[in-house]
Amino acid sequence: MAASASSAAAAAPRSSPETDSSAAKTERRNRVLSSKLYFDVPPTKVPVIYSSSYDIAFFGIEKLHAFDSSKWGRICQFLISDGILAKNLIVKPVEASKEDLLVVHSKSYLDSLKSSLTVSIIMEVPPVALLPNFLVQQRALSPFRKQVGGTIMAGKLAKERGWAINVGGGFHHCSADKGGGFCAYADISLCIHFAFIRLNISRVMIIDLDAHQGNGHERDFSNDGRVFILDMYNAGIYPHDYEARRYIDYKVEIVSGTTTNTYLKKLDKALEAAGNMFDAELLVYNAGTDILDGDPLGMLKISPDGVIQRDEKVFRFAKEKKIPIVMVTSGGYMKSSARVIADSIVNLSKQRLIDLGGSAL
């Protein structure tokens, strides 16, 4: 059933598994099993994942993009300075290697990132094309790869602890063979494939509540019935990927100017429907804050409290369904996003939906 610009629709069921050849599946499995991205974490640590290597400092060139590339560090600074989270309790991830990335990405795509021009197009920052590629790798792609490691590790921690938050990640426009929209690596798809192989998980739900359509993971799991995708997005903005929309299992297309109450009512309906349609063993929550009122790219009018309520609803849904949840922070193009995300994490702790290690609240 087709959806109008402000309605929801369930896609036709996708029952067929991934179509990789037997040799490709074996190669993928071997790569995952030999990866160093999963490691044991002491129980004293909190499943909040971050590294100072996440933040992108590119001689100021990064400021030519609307994205706040220091957002990730500022989220943690707020939590630490407010006494909510102890710095020594944060889990530091390992950077994803080429072999790790090949679990999802094609060699030809990864080779294309050796061109600074290609990376500049993906990052939507034209001057990057003029820089030597070793600098592009060091200052931009390496931070992205570290965040990929964080999202993958979050899957393991969520299975063990019930929840995990990667303070970065959520590169939902990138698929196996194509990057775009400031997304160079498909961390969500990688996280899920690692979970399939290492965590004995066979049913994953993606809840994508970034303002933009998550066309990357939608393309990656287009023929994989093990993954259920709920995507709630502004249909009038980037990426306008109409083919990928066909692969959304439950879509909610909203319009520019949608306000908090309307948004949250649509979310309640979508969560109820998704819970009835699919029995997940892992939930990956793409929690973009570009839905905030004033965001120059999201074009929606959701209040900061609305974002906090949104996150609480998703975590409560996961808890009630007893589904381990991975949260990634994805898009958000205002300086205020970091504060809102930090406040939301505090609220999740106050509501006892997560445990930040006995921090003083």
Side-chain angles (χ1 to χ4, degrees):
M1 180 173 63
S4 68
S6 60
S7 65
R14 294 177 289 120
S15 57
S16 57
E18 56 179 320
T19 56
D20 290 351
S21 68
S22 177
K25 288 181 181 179
T26 299
E27 189 172 30
R28 168 179 283 164
R29 179 177 178 81
N30 289 340
R31 285 192 170 110
V32 170
L33 292 176
S34 63
S35 174
K36 293 179 172 59
L37 293 181
Y38 277 8
F39 55 89
D40 292 332
V41 173
T44 52
K45 295 271 189 179
V46 173
V48 173
I49 304 164
Y50 169 73
S51 165
S52 59
S53 301
Y54 280 16
D55 296 334
I56 297 173
F58 222 147
F59 313 112
I61 293 175
E62 72 279 358
K63 295 176 182 177
L64 296 175
H65 192 279
F67 190 84
D68 176 12
S69 58
S70 64
K71 175 178 78 172
W72 309 294
R74 291 172 56 242
I75 294 167
C76 287
Q77 286 171 11
F78 285 133
L79 293 172
I80 293 166
S81 63
D82 291 351
I84 304 304
L85 179 64
K87 185 176 181 180
N88 65 338
L89 298 185
I90 295 172
V91 176
K92 295 181 180 179
V94 176
E95 181 176 334
S97 68
K98 182 179 179 180
E99 287 298 305
D100 295 324
L101 298 170
L102 284 168
V103 168
V104 164
H105 290 293
S106 65
K107 183 177 183 298
S108 60
Y109 173 70
L110 295 181
D111 286 345
S112 77
L113 300 180
K114 296 175 183 177
S115 161
S116 296
L117 174 60
T118 298
V119 178
S120 75
I121 294 169
I122 291 170
M123 293 187 67
E124 300 173 335
V125 182
V128 169
L130 304 176
L131 296 175
N133 191 256
F134 80 90
L135 280 179
V136 175
Q137 295 286 335
Q138 181 185 88
R139 297 300 185 99
L141 295 181
S142 178
F144 285 150
R145 290 192 293 267
K146 185 65 74 84
Q147 293 187 47
V148 169
T151 301
I152 292 171
M153 183 60 184
K156 178 179 187 291
L157 285 174
K159 178 72 183 296
E160 294 171 352
R161 311 284 189 89
W163 66 276
I165 297 173
N166 182 17
V167 175
F171 306 131
H172 65 156
H173 297 307
C174 187
S175 62
D177 296 305
K178 186 178 181 181
F182 210 72
C183 301
Y185 302 112
D187 65 317
I188 291 174
S189 300
L190 283 157
C191 173
I192 291 171
H193 279 292
F194 269 70
F196 284 155
I197 295 169
R198 294 282 291 268
L199 303 180
N200 196 29
I201 282 172
S202 60
R203 296 171 66 81
V204 179
M205 180 181 291
I206 299 172
I207 296 180
D208 195 332
L209 300 185
D210 188 274
H212 300 84
Q213 176 198 353
N215 59 320
H217 57 71
E218 287 157 10
R219 286 179 172 270
D220 284 342
F221 296 110
S222 60
N223 294 307
D224 197 332
R226 298 174 298 176
V227 178
F228 181 98
I229 299 172
L230 185 168
D231 198 347
M232 184 167 166
Y233 58 93
N234 185 343
I237 61 175
Y238 178 90
H240 303 290
D241 191 336
Y242 298 101
E243 179 184 345
R245 290 181 189 181
R246 294 165 43 208
Y247 310 133
I248 303 171
D249 297 283
Y250 195 90
K251 67 180 175 182
V252 186
E253 295 187 336
I254 54 180
V255 296
S256 295
T258 296
T259 56
T260 302
N261 287 342
T262 300
Y263 181 92
L264 293 176
K265 287 178 182 177
K266 289 181 180 292
L267 176 60
D268 285 337
K269 181 180 177 182
L271 290 174
E272 182 179 4
N276 291 332
M277 293 169 68
F278 192 80
D279 184 17
E281 298 171 312
L282 179 69
L283 194 162
V284 179
Y285 173 36
N286 198 52
T289 46
D290 48 5
I291 66 169
L292 278 167
D293 188 6
D295 189 283
L297 301 185
M299 306 296 288
L300 303 175
K301 291 187 176 297
I302 314 305
S303 68
D305 185 61
V307 171
I308 292 170
Q309 289 185 60
R310 176 200 69 171
D311 294 348
E312 181 181 333
K313 286 176 183 291
V314 176
F315 270 77
R316 198 169 296 283
F317 168 85
K319 186 172 185 178
E320 290 173 354
K321 297 286 184 181
K322 296 181 172 59
I323 310 170
I325 181 171
V326 170
M327 173 177 158
V328 289
T329 56
S330 200
Y333 305 93
M334 297 192 298
K335 288 288 186 182
S336 59
S337 280
R339 179 77 262 182
V340 173
I341 294 168
D343 288 346
S344 182
I345 292 172
V346 171
N347 180 65
L348 293 174
S349 181
K350 286 181 176 179
Q351 299 299 324
R352 302 190 182 281
L353 294 169
I354 64 173
D355 180 2
L356 294 177
S359 55
L361 291 171

